[in-house]
Amino acid sequence: MSPSPKDAPLNPRTTSYEFLGPPGALAVTLGVPFLTYALYFGCNESTPPLALLYPSFINAIYSKDFWISLWDVQAFKLYYSWYTFCVVAWAILPGDWVKGTQLRNGHYQHYKVNAFATGLLAIGLATGYIIRFGYQSFTFFYEHWVGFLSAALSMSILQAAFSYASGSRSGSLLALGGNSGNLIYDFYIGRTLNPQIGSLDIKSFNELRPGLILWFLIDISMACEQATRIGGRITDSMALVLVFQGLYVVDALYNEPDIFRQMDITTDGFGFMLSVGDLLWVPFVYSLQARYLAFHPIELGWARTVAIIAVNAVGFWIFRSANSEKNEFRNGKNPKNLQFITTERGTKLLTSGWWGMSQHPNYLGDIIMALAWSLPTGFEAPLTYFYVVYFGVLLIHRQRRDDEACEKKYGKDWEKYKKLVPYRIVPYLY
Ligand code: NDP
């Protein structure tokens, strides 16, 4: 059943495609899960460090063990319990309700802000568990990796299907880019703008909690695996990855309200692109460096440790100060007296400070940090640099999507802004 005719003006047909249309959407829909499994086989102690260049995954497909490991009851139980924990924490932990940006139908979506509290609770419980039962007891993510992949994938599919189906409810607000009528494309890109169950907004919930916090718990599990192997301690390289990625996760949780202005929340529908990204890709691909170090311990020594800390510190400084500068400004504050232009829409765009240097200075900080997370793994396994390459591609693509969206939003004012701030991400370079 499609939305009733009275909803039609509110939900116009999508007439242009992104991601090369349905064939591209299908390729990513199949390719992301495939690659997530392949990366596991590439980042495995039984395969050589150049593993992706070897047909390790293809070999695995022919082995009966692989197919058995896909369906792992214990991993499914743990994963679904974890997801339930996140929902319960969302429901019972205190948190302010905040209003998002205005929707096309004049309404506002409301979000409960308690991701930080959920993260602290989860990390606290994991720490308590490790203290009580020993680090050897917290290695299950390492041991049941493939089973966890399947569990997270099943959840991503279920949620994307639910979101797609929610779009058929009368009065449902569809994403402007996800109403093409092509099932494959809309399922992938996201048909329903804000699917919800009761007052739980599924899209923003998934963005920060079950995937992002899990990523850090997996890192902790990888550190426990390493400690189990090398006599109850972890290497300096593992400590760096833990601290850097932990800081990134905690920072994102702490700044939860910032995401309510991001295009994923304001513009994109919730489809497989976001569900598989949030629930499968982030926790299980972003933790690849820690996974590698679990079975391949590396001692960096003081000099390299300090140098890598410096790289991460520069990245984090750019990332955090650029994001805070824009968010403060968007909240009506301008303590540094930065210059800006006022658009016909009424919104102001910064033209000095970080946002005068490039159109996305925060992306630059993010990519520098990505490099700092890979450097502790040394240079033997190119696979641990997969994240840097992938993230670079993602940010370049994201910049283009945002540029198109801002062009639609701001028209001539955006052209004026781009003349004043010509660089897209890296000042004087790109
Ligand atoms: P931005 O933070 O760059 O936000 C872009 C939006 O900001 C625009 O749509 C516009 O929205 C507003 N804006 C643009 N220029 C200006 C200006 N000069 N002054 C004021 N406002 C401006 O992009 P994202 O939302 O993509 O990224 C947010 C953060 O999330 C980044 O740090 C990014 O690196 C990170 N990220 C991390 C990912 C990961 O997997 N780790 C994935 C994706 C993002 P409006 O005018 O409507 O406010």
Side-chain angles (χ1 to χ4, degrees):
M1 191 179 77
S2 50
S4 67
K6 73 178 164 55
D7 301 324
L10 194 60
N11 291 318
R13 269 275 180 248
T14 303
T15 49
S16 64
Y17 285 131
E18 295 183 78
F19 294 91
L20 306 175
L26 183 64
V28 185
T29 300
L30 300 176
V32 166
F34 178 85
L35 195 55
T36 315
Y37 284 103
L39 284 168
Y40 161 77
F41 286 100
C43 187
N44 198 325
E45 58 193 312
S46 59
T47 46
L50 283 170
L52 252 201
L53 306 178
Y54 290 78
S56 52
F57 185 50
I58 304 301
N59 287 343
I61 287 175
Y62 287 115
S63 97
K64 204 171 126 208
D65 290 349
F66 168 71
W67 294 101
I68 293 171
S69 67
L70 282 181
W71 172 245
D72 178 335
V73 177
Q74 212 183 336
F76 268 75
K77 274 190 193 157
L78 278 170
Y79 182 81
Y80 277 79
S81 305
W82 160 248
Y83 201 96
T84 308
F85 164 84
C86 291
V87 177
V88 172
W90 169 85
I92 64 173
L93 291 177
D96 292 337
W97 282 89
V98 304
K99 206 161 79 166
T101 52
Q102 193 172 24
L103 305 171
R104 296 201 304 284
N105 56 10
H107 297 163
Y108 292 88
Q109 193 73 1
H110 289 83
Y111 306 98
K112 188 173 180 185
V113 177
N114 63 4
F116 184 61
T118 304
L120 289 187
L121 179 63
I123 296 166
L125 288 173
T127 309
Y129 186 88
I130 293 167
I131 292 170
R132 171 72 183 79
F133 299 106
Y135 51 83
Q136 299 92 335
S137 66
F138 204 72
T139 56
F140 41 82
F141 285 111
Y142 188 85
E143 290 143 16
H144 295 268
W145 192 277
V146 176
F148 276 109
L149 292 187
S150 305
L153 177 60
S154 68
M155 183 61 107
S156 321
I157 297 169
L158 282 176
Q159 298 218 9
F162 173 78
S163 174
Y164 184 89
S166 300
S168 297
R169 284 193 200 142
S170 173
S172 198
L173 191 63
L174 305 185
L176 287 176
N179 187 23
S180 72
N182 181 296
L183 190 146
I184 292 172
Y185 184 78
D186 294 346
F187 172 82
Y188 167 74
I189 204 86
R191 186 176 181 222
T192 308
L193 185 62
N194 295 310
Q196 47 190 110
I197 297 178
S199 53
L200 176 69
D201 176 85
I202 293 177
K203 187 166 60 170
S204 63
F205 176 81
N206 281 327
E207 188 107 341
L208 288 181
R209 295 143 203 265
L212 206 70
I213 303 171
L214 186 61
W215 166 21
F216 187 51
L217 295 181
I218 292 174
D219 278 358
I220 294 175
S221 180
M222 297 307 108
C224 290
E225 175 68 26
Q226 189 191 64
T228 306
R229 289 166 181 242
I230 62 170
R233 62 180 190 91
I234 58 168
T235 57
D236 47 11
S237 54
M238 179 64 97
L240 287 189
V241 170
L242 263 188
V243 172
F244 294 166
Q245 299 190 347
L247 175 68
Y248 190 78
V249 169
V250 170
D251 175 84
L253 300 176
Y254 185 74
N255 292 295
E256 182 178 12
D258 294 354
I259 69 162
F260 305 137
R261 293 194 68 93
Q262 288 187 7
M263 84 180 138
D264 318 27
I265 301 295
T266 57
T267 315
D268 291 339
F270 183 68
F272 191 65
M273 175 176 83
L274 286 182
S275 70
V276 81
D278 292 343
L279 302 178
L280 179 71
W281 189 258
V282 166
F284 294 97
V285 174
Y286 288 20
S287 55
L288 223 56
Q289 292 96 346
R291 179 179 169 81
Y292 175 72
L293 291 173
F295 63 81
H296 195 280
I298 290 176
E299 293 291 359
L300 296 168
W302 279 108
R304 283 191 288 173
T305 300
V306 170
I308 297 171
I309 290 175
V311 176
N312 194 68
V314 170
F316 187 75
W317 171 63
I318 299 174
F319 165 84
R320 179 56 19 237
S321 36
N323 276 325
S324 298
E325 201 168 79
K326 173 161 70 81
N327 292 326
E328 259 190 343
F329 186 70
R330 279 280 171 264
N331 290 329
K333 295 179 206 146
N334 187 4
K336 292 188 220 151
N337 223 0
L338 297 169
Q339 290 165 14
F340 56 84
I341 56 169
T342 305
T343 65
E344 277 178 20
R345 233 172 164 243
T347 318
K348 293 168 182 155
L349 293 170
L350 284 165
T351 53
S352 73
W354 284 110
W355 297 83
M357 292 185 210
S358 81
Q359 293 159 21
H360 295 273
N362 46 357
Y363 289 4
L364 174 63
D366 226 331
I367 195 82
I368 294 174
M369 279 191 287
L371 178 67
W373 302 347
S374 298
L375 287 173
T377 63
F379 298 103
E380 275 179 60
L383 213 62
T384 52
Y385 289 80
F386 171 81
Y387 176 68
V388 188
V389 177
Y390 146 78
F391 200 48
V393 172
L394 175 131
L395 292 179
I396 288 170
H397 181 245
R398 201 171 163 91
Q399 180 276 323
R400 286 174 191 209
R401 291 189 80 213
D402 191 60
D403 186 47
E404 271 176 38
C406 285
E407 224 158 75
K408 279 188 198 142
K409 246 188 302 188
Y410 295 120
K412 275 190 212 138
D413 290 319
W414 189 246
E415 292 308 317
K416 187 172 154 195
Y417 168 72
K418 286 205 291 186
K419 282 202 180 103
L420 291 169
V421 184
Y423 298 103
R424 296 178 228 204
I425 299 176
V426 189
Y428 306 107
L429 216 69
Y430 176 76

